[in-house]
Amino acid sequence: MDFVQRTIDLARQNVAEGGRPFATVIVKDGEILAESPNRVAQTNDPTAHAEILAIREACTKLGTEHLTGATIYVLAHPCPMCLGSLYYCSPDEVVFLTSREAYEPHYVDDRKYFELATFYDEFAKPYQDRRLPMRHEPSEAAVDVYRAWQARNGGERRVAGAPTA
């Protein structure tokens, strides 16, 4: 099967049905493990990006949060939320089929606090200097939740079985 074409076809069908122009196909052992178009418009869920939905489906099928051994095809270079999710699930490779520069004359999805052109600079700022209003309210009780997690996991700080560098 042509996984690049399948990704394009899913996105094209989603646009025809009133959705947004994004899709993801996750492949493992030469077979499609999971796939999804972007469902933000259909669900009113700002996290219903194609990558997120396909990752959820694939991990549920495999019974793990790790996608080692998988290749993930995405229509466009991932947004920061999806990029974080892709890093977190540890696939062998991510293949993106178009860049923001290529699609920008046809599609823009900037928001009040989120503009792709400036987001990575914004993200790197200290939290108090970001456009999104944030405040830190230190709580020792919040840290206690992590102490309890560590105690429950035999003193380990890392998630068991998580792929590391």
Side-chain angles (χ1 to χ4, degrees), residues 32-112:
I32 293 177
L33 177 62
E35 62 182 21
S36 183
N38 176 295
R39 294 277 186 219
V40 172
Q42 296 93 322
T43 63
N44 299 312
D45 177 355
T47 69
H49 288 207
E51 296 93 329
I52 303 295
L53 297 175
I55 289 168
R56 286 177 185 161
E57 181 184 337
C59 289
T60 298
K61 282 183 179 177
L62 294 176
T64 180
E65 64 196 73
H66 314 298
L67 293 179
T68 52
T71 298
I72 302 180
Y73 295 84
V74 297
L75 192 75
H77 187 276
C79 78
M81 175 180 69
C82 293
L83 187 59
S85 296
L86 290 161
Y87 266 85
Y88 204 79
C89 71
S90 305
D92 285 4
E93 183 180 32
V94 174
V95 178
F96 65 98
L97 309 179
T98 187
S99 66
R100 281 186 221 105
E101 294 78 19
Y103 74 67
E104 195 271 336
H106 314 287
Y107 181 86
V108 175
D109 197 21
D110 292 345
R111 306 293 174 109
K112 180 177 180 180

Side-chain angles (χ1 to χ4, degrees), residues 153-165:
N153 289 280
E156 290 293 324
R157 295 181 333 168
R158 295 191 187 278
V159 173
T164 57

